[in-house]
């Protein structure tokens, strides 16, 4: 794929992923939402999780099916996931808490689903900051070690969703199953790599 083609696909991906939020905002501005804050909070959180899992799926899909052209989209998906996570947190902090940081600290300390969600956001923050090639060069091998934290962030985000939902657990458990599959594929690849090195 040429550089121009890759940029066009990435632009299309960004537009497609921003479309749900844009449509929700249009509906909110038109007064079509009964609970606009709750709806925006829910949408941004769920899309953050979806895009995070999509970014984690890029490497397994490349390895299993040989889709090398997917590689450049992993960072794009990861940054989109962080963007939705940032909006999710900002909506909660600004519109739910009114920038009351004492209330934030209390929620983080006392409500498990917020503890998990806040921890996932804090883990994603340095990954977003160091996502550039410049940081990759500066950190060297440490960059790979740092960015493996994304799996812990994914697990915490799934826990956040599971603990948040009190009745219908089908959606959060589906995301948990997808994450388990992705972690299983990664563990299997690591095991095969160790065996290959041991054999060599």
């Amino acid at each position: 794929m040429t550089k121009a083609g890759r940029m066009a696909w990435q632009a299309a991906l960004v537009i497609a992923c921003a479309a749900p939020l844009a449509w929700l905002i249009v509906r909110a501005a038109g007064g079509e939402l009964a609970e606009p804050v709750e709806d925006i909070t829910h949408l941004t959180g769920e899309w953050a999780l979806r895009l995070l899992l999509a970014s984690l799926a890029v490497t397994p899909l490349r390895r299993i099916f040989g889709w090398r052209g997917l590689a450049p989209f992993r960072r794009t998906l990861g940054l989109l996931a962080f963007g939705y996570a940032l909006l999710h947190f900002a909506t909660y902090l600004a519109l739910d808490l009114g920038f009351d940081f004492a209330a934030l600290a209390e929620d983080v300390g006392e409500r498990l689903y917020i503890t998990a969600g806040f921890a996932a956001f804090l883990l994603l923050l340095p990954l977003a900051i160091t996502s550039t090639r410049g940081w990759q060069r500066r950190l060297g091998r440490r960059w790979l070690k740092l960015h493996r934290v994304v799996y812990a962030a994914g697990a915490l985000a799934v826990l956040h969703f599971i603990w948040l939902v009190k009745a219908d657990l089908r959606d959060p458990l589906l995301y948990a199953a997808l994450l388990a599959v992705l972690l299983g594929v990664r563990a299997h690849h690591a095991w095969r790599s160790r065996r290959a090195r041991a054999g060599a």
Side-chain angles (χ1 to χ4, degrees), residues 87-172:
L87 287 172
H88 181 67
F89 175 68
T91 302
Y92 160 67
L93 178 62
L95 302 182
D96 276 354
L97 299 183
F99 293 105
D100 186 341
F101 290 94
L104 171 64
E106 183 177 346
D107 277 355
V108 170
E110 295 181 0
R111 304 167 76 178
L112 280 178
Y113 77 92
I114 292 179
T115 306
F118 188 64
F121 176 73
L122 290 181
L123 289 179
L124 289 176
L125 182 59
L127 303 188
I129 292 171
T130 60
S131 63
T132 63
R133 288 191 177 89
W135 273 106
Q136 190 171 356
R137 286 193 298 269
R138 282 192 287 272
L139 292 174
R141 291 184 178 180
R142 291 175 297 171
W143 187 87
L144 288 174
K145 292 180 179 178
L146 172 64
H147 279 253
R148 287 176 186 149
V149 171
V150 71
Y151 290 95
L156 286 166
V158 167
L159 279 177
H160 170 67
F161 197 11
I162 290 173
W163 287 337
L164 171 65
V165 176
K166 296 180 175 63
D168 190 350
L169 289 171
R170 285 176 296 180
D171 283 351

Side-chain angles (χ1 to χ4, degrees), residues 30-51:
E32 298 179 26
L33 301 179
E35 298 290 344
V37 174
E38 182 179 338
D39 290 340
I40 292 173
T41 302
H42 177 75
L43 180 137
T44 53
E46 192 157 3
W47 272 98
L49 181 54
R50 288 172 180 171
L51 291 168

Side-chain angles (χ1 to χ4, degrees), residues 181-195:
V181 169
L182 294 173
L183 290 173
V185 170
R186 176 178 174 79
H188 178 70
H189 176 75
W191 174 74
R192 288 186 61 183
S193 298
R194 284 195 297 269
R195 283 194 64 185

